[in-house]
């Protein structure tokens, strides 16, 4: 999941939006020694108390006051329907989430009842036995029918639901309208036109990157792989095999890595750049194009190019097509250890409901996970439209395996890109090595 550049300190592909990367889905049967998820309607505590105190952990934003205001309003509404219930909210740094969640899963007495988590963490948390199966409650929840299918997928593991989508983040193409006009360049309609435009701009304006790209920008590279028909891995039920070295995936890798050079974004400067770095290059006027998220909008508005840019979906291979984008974001879940299961589910739904998500968009810019609410905010805020269109065209997730966190932390894909960019390995060799590392991680995850 990738977190918002401007709204959160979470930048390390939580597909916290960034955020984002970043996902979640089908994990295989857990071994007998693992903490197997309980069936819907039960909790690990064996209790379902209807009064008491609910503890909630949410992620702390850089500017947290607007989020707190929205959350407090949702909690107030919840408490009116549950007068004998107290709710305590703790905002935790996303950087410490791994340690906090591990401790919570191990010690139910210190655990919260409801948590916010990055959608790329879903599979791992399910394997660890931390999240409650809320399949039945989700199906009975009237608002769930309008959940975007890709957002629904981010809380789904082996066909069961382990939470409620909270917000989603997706990327599109930011471009400088003044530079395109001055150079007489039309907005790219295909990836080939995108590459050509980037090089044309660099040739005419040597001080600019045509398209800012980063060797450490995994979620910026994925659309090039997916657009060519490639996949990171294939499988289900917890059994995955890497396909990053397939012929189709290699074509996408070749297209993306071809953008690292003196004719666009010099390798010496761009090979180590992250997604945040590329957006910063664009907002500071050093690049004519960048692949940024809906969550990047405020930061770009605050930069040097305010009023001189526009956004369109990242083009696919054919004119009018849209390259698949990674749908990052965050979810809310109920812990298996809760002794207030019914109340916790009700509170989760209040916090993830349409009214709250609409208010979070107004306050923080978080993109709603409901198709109807998203259409409403797009009408109010035109800048959202390209991102909504991108989501509607079919966004993607990373492999639905708890191994993804290991693959991500080990920088398997950035290493692959950088090996190609540096000339150390060709695309075939680098992708083959990356596939081996991914398969090792899949195997170790069980």
């Amino acid at each position: 999941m990738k977190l918002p550049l401007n709204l959160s300190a979470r930048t390390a592909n939580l597909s916290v939006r960034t955020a984002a990367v970043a996902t979640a889905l089908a994990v295989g049967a857990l071994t007998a020694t693992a903490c197997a998820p309980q069936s819907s309607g039960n909790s690990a505590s064996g209790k379902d108390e209807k009064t008491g105190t609910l503890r909630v952990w949410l992620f702390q934003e850089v500017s947290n006051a607007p989020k707190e205001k929205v959350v407090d309003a949702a909690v107030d509404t919840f408490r009116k329907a549950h007068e004998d219930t107290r709710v305590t909210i703790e905002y935790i740094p996303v950087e410490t989430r791994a340690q906090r969640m591990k401790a919570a899963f191990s010690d139910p007495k210190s655990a919260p009842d409801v948590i916010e988590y990055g959608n790329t963490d879903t599979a791992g948390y399910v394997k660890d036995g931390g999240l409650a199966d809320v399949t039945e409650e989700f199906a009975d929840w009237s608002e769930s029918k309008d959940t975007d299918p890709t957002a629904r997928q981010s809380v789904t593991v082996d066909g069961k639901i382990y939470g409620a989508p909270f917000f989603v983040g997706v990327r599109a193409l930011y471009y400088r309208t003044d530079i395109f006009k001055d150079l007489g360049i039309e907005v790219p309609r295909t990836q080939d036109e995108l590459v050509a435009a980037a090089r044309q701009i660099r040739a005419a304006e040597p001080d600019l990157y045509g398209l800012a790209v980063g060797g450490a920008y995994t979620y910026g590279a994925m659309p090039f792989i997916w657009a060519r028909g490639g996949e990171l891995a294939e499988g289900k039920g917890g059994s995955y095999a890497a396909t990053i070295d397939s012929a189709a995936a290699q074509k996408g890798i070749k297209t993306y890595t071809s953008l690292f050079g003196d004719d666009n974004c010099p390798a010496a400067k761009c090979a180590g750049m992250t997604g945040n770095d590329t957006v910063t290059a664009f907002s500071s006027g050093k690049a004519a194009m960048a692949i940024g998220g809906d969550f990047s909008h405020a930061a770009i508005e605050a930069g040097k190019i305010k009023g001189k840019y526009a956004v369109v979906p990242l083009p696919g291979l054919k004119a009018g097509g849209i390259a698949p984008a990674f749908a990052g974001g965050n979810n809310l879940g109920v812990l298996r250890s809760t002794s207030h299961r019914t109340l916790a589910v009700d509170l989760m739904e209040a916090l993830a409901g349409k009214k709250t998500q609409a208010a979070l968009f107004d306050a923080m810019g978080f993109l709603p996970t409901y198709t109807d609410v998203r259409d409403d905010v797009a009408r109010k805020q035109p800048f959202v439209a390209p991102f909504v269109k991108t989501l509607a065209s079919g966004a993607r997730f990373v492999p639905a395996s708890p191994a993804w966190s290991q693959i991500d932390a080990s920088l398997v894909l950035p290493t692959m890109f950088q090996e190609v960019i540096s000339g150390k390995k060709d695309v075939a060799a680098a992708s083959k090595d990356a596939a081996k590392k991914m398969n090792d991680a899949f195997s170790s995850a069980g």
Side-chain angles (χ1 to χ4, degrees):
M1 104 211 98
K2 176 75 177 169
L3 291 185
L5 176 72
N6 57 297
L7 298 176
S8 172
R10 294 167 275 153
T11 57
N13 296 332
L14 285 174
S15 197
V16 184
R17 297 169 262 262
T18 158
V21 247
T23 291
L25 329 158
V27 168
L30 302 179
T31 64
T33 57
C35 297
Q38 297 291 308
S39 62
S40 184
N42 297 315
S43 72
S45 71
K47 300 178 181 178
D48 190 10
E49 299 171 1
K50 300 302 192 291
T51 62
T53 299
L54 294 179
R55 298 178 60 208
V56 181
W57 287 358
L58 301 178
F59 289 138
Q60 186 174 30
E61 311 297 332
V62 173
S63 177
N64 208 55
K67 182 176 183 178
E68 291 180 29
K69 185 176 181 180
V70 173
V71 169
D72 288 347
V75 169
D76 286 345
T77 299
F78 169 82
R79 289 198 61 203
K80 289 177 181 177
H82 304 86
E83 295 181 354
D84 295 327
T85 303
R86 294 184 64 248
V87 178
T88 62
I89 309 288
E90 182 178 356
Y91 291 89
I92 67 172
V94 71
E95 295 83 0
T96 65
R97 79 190 191 284
Q99 301 95 311
R100 295 290 298 269
M101 296 303 180
K102 182 177 181 180
F105 295 166
S106 302
D107 182 12
K109 292 182 179 179
S110 68
D113 300 276
V114 178
I115 61 170
E116 177 181 358
Y117 64 94
N119 63 13
T120 55
D121 290 330
T122 307
Y125 288 175
V126 170
K127 183 183 179 184
D128 291 342
L131 295 175
D133 172 2
V134 295
T135 305
E136 293 178 10
E137 293 94 335
F138 191 85
D140 291 340
W141 183 24
S142 62
E143 294 188 350
S144 70
K145 70 182 186 327
D146 295 319
T147 301
D148 185 314
T150 56
R152 182 191 299 263
Q153 189 182 17
S154 77
V155 293
T156 304
V157 178
D158 270 351
K160 297 179 180 179
I161 303 293
Y162 290 91
F166 195 30
F167 61 80
V168 67
V170 71
R171 293 162 181 80
L173 181 68
Y174 286 79
Y175 70 96
R176 288 278 299 274
T177 52
D178 56 338
I179 292 173
F180 271 66
K181 181 178 180 180
D182 290 346
L183 297 180
I185 301 174
E186 294 188 0
V187 179
R189 298 170 301 166
T190 67
Q191 283 193 3
D192 286 344
E193 290 182 3
L194 174 66
V195 173
R199 290 175 175 154
Q200 183 178 347
I201 292 167
R202 176 71 175 179
E205 301 285 349
D207 293 334
L208 289 176
Y209 302 141
L211 171 65
V213 288
Y217 191 8
T218 302
Y219 297 113
M222 284 179 178
F224 292 85
I225 295 171
W226 287 326
R228 297 282 176 179
E231 296 290 347
L232 305 179
E234 293 182 350
K236 62 181 180 179
S239 179
Y240 279 84
T243 55
I244 192 65
D245 57 342
S246 69
Q250 287 186 35
K251 290 179 181 178
I253 297 167
K254 185 176 181 180
T255 300
Y256 186 69
T257 55
S258 73
L259 291 162
F260 294 81
D262 292 339
D263 60 351
N264 176 53
C265 202
K269 294 183 178 180
C270 302
M273 285 170 56
T274 64
N276 285 353
D277 294 330
T278 64
V279 172
T280 298
F282 182 77
S283 64
S284 64
K286 295 179 180 178
M289 293 184 285
I291 300 168
D294 54 277
F295 42 82
S296 305
H297 178 257
I300 293 173
E301 277 287 285
K304 295 182 178 180
I305 60 169
K306 180 179 175 65
K308 299 178 181 179
Y309 72 92
V311 188
V312 294
L314 186 69
L317 299 187
K318 297 181 179 179
I322 297 175
F326 168 68
N330 284 6
N331 301 327
L332 295 174
V334 172
L335 265 64
R336 282 184 56 240
S337 59
T338 183
S339 59
H340 300 86
R341 179 189 170 96
T342 299
L343 289 172
V345 171
D346 287 350
L347 179 57
M348 176 190 74
E349 293 177 354
L351 291 171
K354 291 184 178 182
K355 183 177 180 180
T356 305
Q357 288 198 19
L360 277 173
F361 173 80
D362 291 338
M364 305 292 293
F366 294 173
L367 201 58
T369 64
Y370 301 99
T371 54
D372 55 342
V373 179
R374 215 158 48 214
D375 288 342
D376 288 342
V377 301
R379 282 190 289 270
K380 292 192 297 182
Q381 298 287 354
F383 81 85
V384 174
F387 303 101
V388 172
K389 189 174 182 180
T390 297
L391 282 167
S393 72
R396 304 281 187 89
F397 286 101
V398 295
S401 167
W404 179 256
S405 60
Q406 178 184 339
I407 293 168
D408 197 28
S410 300
L411 304 177
V412 172
L413 296 182
T415 297
M416 175 188 70
F417 296 133
Q418 290 163 355
E419 286 175 340
V420 175
I421 294 164
S422 67
K424 183 179 179 180
K425 296 178 183 177
D426 61 19
V427 171
S431 62
K432 182 177 180 180
D433 288 348
K436 182 180 183 305
K437 293 175 184 175
M438 291 175 68
N439 284 330
D440 288 344
F442 290 137
S443 296
S444 66

